[in-house]
Amino acid sequence: MNQRNDQRSNRYRRLDDHEVRNKMELLSDQLQIQQLELEESRNRYADLYDHAPVGYLTVDQTGNILSINLTGAALLRKARPFLIGKPFTSCFLDIDHQAFHHYLQEVFNSSGNATIDLKIGDTQDPLSFIRLESTVTHDKNMCRMMMSDISQLRKMINLNRDLLNENRQLMKGLFRVQEKERRILARELHDELGQWLTAIRAESEVIFNYAEQDSAIYTSAQTIKGCTEKMHQVIRTMLHRLRPPLLDTLGLPDALSELKKQWSSRHAQITLELKLEGKLAALDEQYNITIFRLIQEGLNNIYKHSEATWTQISLSRETIENSADDFLLLKIEDNGKGYDTNQQFTGLGLVGMRERVIALDGRMTVRSTPNEGTEINIRLPIKI
């Protein structure tokens, strides 16, 4: 009986050992598969890390390189083993050491990302500017950096800046030529055409005085006299639009007061208010004519497009202590129908105003909402 029980127990033990062995083999196979997958994943990560389109590196608090990918080493133009343990700044002949170490200190003292653009070579070199984007690790012992070559980007930015400056100088020249032509045309209208109209008017007065009142000659003389007076009025208006006389003789405030008077007489349906503050009488000619033309164009836009019943022009001079510049602040506002500033317009009024502002290194903003009027704010720096 006992022998039979022992046999049965041995048979069960052999079955248990067989099951355990099968499970162990299965677990071993699964572990090998996971190890292979882990190795493959690690290799993929290493490939992605080493051959990423940007450089990745880690540095310690003193700026020594602890690790770097192949792309980063290629950017630094050195073999990776040579770079490990070396100061980051030693990789460049032309780099602002103080700016880099100040940036590194900022990175270790903050918990977020920090970015800096560094000049590392002559602008003619293929690699002349790099951008670093860094974040510190949780233990604060090192920081991870992403390094990218922005040399071409900086060259394009500098090129665009140079083109913008050239365009501004060109616009200044164009406006200068335009105002010169207007001044010449105004002088010729006044000196030439004005004299001939004066002569015609004088001759008509002679005929008017000697002709009989009920004669056709008397009637014609009256007609000629009326026509010459109207022509004088038209020429005066043209002269003021071409070159306001008070702008050259008495300065900007009086010229603007005269502009308000003439504009209000032609557009009586729109109430025009003019507010002037600060020292505006001794400005240079370029500021005088620019402000005058901006207000002229602003009023023209209001009459043509706004359907306003009220408008206000505010001009002031702002003085800032310890600054090399004063500022002219111009606001043109109305209570008209307004418009959607995101909508594209084919008119050139605001475009011309903006070009004049940009030519003097100024800033112009437009605020408008349908049915709530329009406000134009202009800020021009004055070199003092």
Side-chain angles (χ1 to χ4, degrees):
M1 184 70 178
N2 290 333
Q3 184 177 3
R4 187 178 301 166
N5 290 335
D6 290 340
Q7 290 175 350
R8 186 181 297 116
S9 176
N10 290 334
R11 186 170 63 252
Y12 289 150
R13 188 179 298 111
R14 284 196 299 271
L15 289 173
D16 290 341
D17 291 343
H18 180 71
E19 290 178 359
V20 168
R21 188 163 49 251
N22 288 340
K23 289 182 179 180
M24 290 296 294
E25 289 176 356
L26 180 61
L27 289 174
S28 177
D29 292 340
Q30 290 177 347
L31 181 60
Q32 288 181 355
I33 292 172
Q34 289 177 353
Q35 286 178 337
L36 290 173
E37 291 177 349
L38 183 62
E39 184 68 19
E40 185 180 354
S41 177
R42 190 194 69 81
N43 291 336
R44 282 200 304 268
Y45 171 78
D47 287 339
L48 289 173
Y49 174 77
D50 278 336
H51 302 289
V54 295
Y56 289 109
L57 64 155
T58 56
V59 300
D60 60 19
Q61 294 185 5
T62 61
N64 293 326
I65 299 175
L66 302 178
S67 66
I68 187 168
N69 68 346
L70 291 177
T71 304
L75 282 173
L76 300 183
R77 301 174 182 175
K78 291 179 176 63
R80 178 158 56 180
F82 175 82
L83 294 170
I84 303 302
K86 296 289 193 306
F88 179 78
T89 53
S90 68
C91 302
F92 310 100
L93 295 176
D94 183 11
I95 189 172
D96 190 336
H97 293 257
Q98 183 177 358
F100 174 77
H101 287 292
H102 178 76
Y103 166 72
L104 195 62
Q105 184 179 5
E106 178 187 348
V107 173
F108 277 98
N109 290 335
S110 66
S111 57
N113 294 338
T115 303
I116 188 174
D117 293 346
L118 289 172
K119 182 177 181 294
I120 58 171
D122 188 86
T123 53
Q124 301 303 319
D125 293 341
L127 181 63
S128 52
F129 286 91
I130 58 171
R131 173 169 294 166
L132 299 177
E133 299 180 44
S134 309
T135 182
V136 70
T137 57
H138 293 294
D139 54 14
K140 301 286 186 178
N141 290 328
M142 61 182 180
C143 79
R144 296 187 178 92
M145 289 184 174
M146 184 175 69
M147 177 174 56
S148 53
D149 179 7
I150 60 167
S151 304
Q152 293 301 318
L153 175 63
R154 289 300 295 263
K155 287 179 181 178
M156 292 302 300
I157 290 174
N158 292 335
L159 177 61
N160 288 338
R161 184 184 299 115
D162 292 340
L163 290 174
L164 179 60
N165 290 332
E166 290 177 6
N167 285 337
R168 287 179 176 176
Q169 294 302 319
L170 179 61
M171 283 191 291
K172 286 182 182 179
L174 289 174
F175 289 136
R176 209 177 294 119
V177 171
Q178 184 185 62
E179 292 303 327
K180 181 179 179 181
E181 291 295 327
R182 286 179 171 181
R183 189 187 297 112
I184 293 173
L185 181 58
R187 186 182 302 117
E188 289 180 352
L189 281 173
H190 180 270
D191 296 344
E192 298 295 332
L193 188 57
Q195 289 182 6
W196 284 110
L197 286 175
T198 301
I200 294 172
R201 185 175 181 180
E203 292 297 326
S204 67
E205 285 287 348
V206 173
I207 298 173
F208 182 77
N209 292 330
Y210 282 94
E212 296 180 2
Q213 293 187 1
D214 57 351
S215 65
I217 296 176
Y218 185 88
T219 303
S220 296
Q222 278 187 320
T223 303
I224 293 172
K225 180 180 178 181
C227 288
T228 54
E229 288 178 351
K230 290 181 179 179
M231 291 177 70
H232 268 294
Q233 293 176 359
V234 171
I235 289 176
R236 278 197 297 269
T237 302
M238 291 175 63
L239 288 175
H240 189 79
R241 291 178 63 85
L242 287 170
R243 185 73 182 185
L246 293 178
L247 198 58
D248 295 322
T249 56
L250 298 179
L252 183 62
D254 290 299
L256 293 179
S257 297
E258 181 64 20
L259 174 64
K260 173 183 180 298
K261 178 181 177 182
Q262 292 193 7
W263 195 86
S264 296
S265 66
R266 295 194 303 269
H267 311 294
Q269 75 278 13
I270 305 176
T271 301
L272 172 58
E273 297 178 5
L274 178 64
K275 293 185 176 182
L276 305 176
E277 297 180 3
K279 299 178 180 179
L280 303 172
L283 296 173
D284 290 343
E285 180 185 11
Q286 63 175 342
Y287 294 105
N288 282 341
I289 197 63
T290 297
I291 291 295
F292 188 86
R293 296 301 183 201
L294 288 172
I295 294 176
Q296 233 180 5
E297 187 60 45
L299 290 175
N300 187 46
N301 288 339
I302 290 170
Y303 169 68
K304 286 184 176 180
H305 308 295
S306 73
E307 300 179 7
T309 59
W310 170 89
T311 183
Q312 184 179 83
I313 308 295
S314 303
L315 177 64
S316 62
R317 180 168 180 168
E318 179 185 44
T319 301
I320 301 177
E321 293 184 4
N322 302 322
S323 174
D325 299 334
D326 280 1
F327 293 91
L328 285 175
L329 305 178
L330 173 63
K331 180 190 290 186
I332 303 173
E333 54 185 325
D334 65 68
N335 66 345
K337 63 181 182 180
Y339 68 100
D340 183 359
T341 55
N342 295 319
Q343 184 179 350
Q344 295 294 325
F345 288 92
T346 58
L348 298 178
L350 287 177
V351 175
M353 293 175 68
R354 196 178 299 277
E355 286 179 350
R356 287 186 180 273
V357 172
I358 292 175
L360 291 183
D361 299 323
R363 186 180 65 199
M364 171 175 159
T365 58
V366 180
R367 299 177 183 175
S368 187
T369 304
N371 302 317
E372 294 187 13
T374 301
E375 179 181 304
I376 301 174
N377 288 281
I378 296 170
R379 193 169 190 255
L380 295 177
I382 308 174
K383 306 295 181 181
I384 57 175

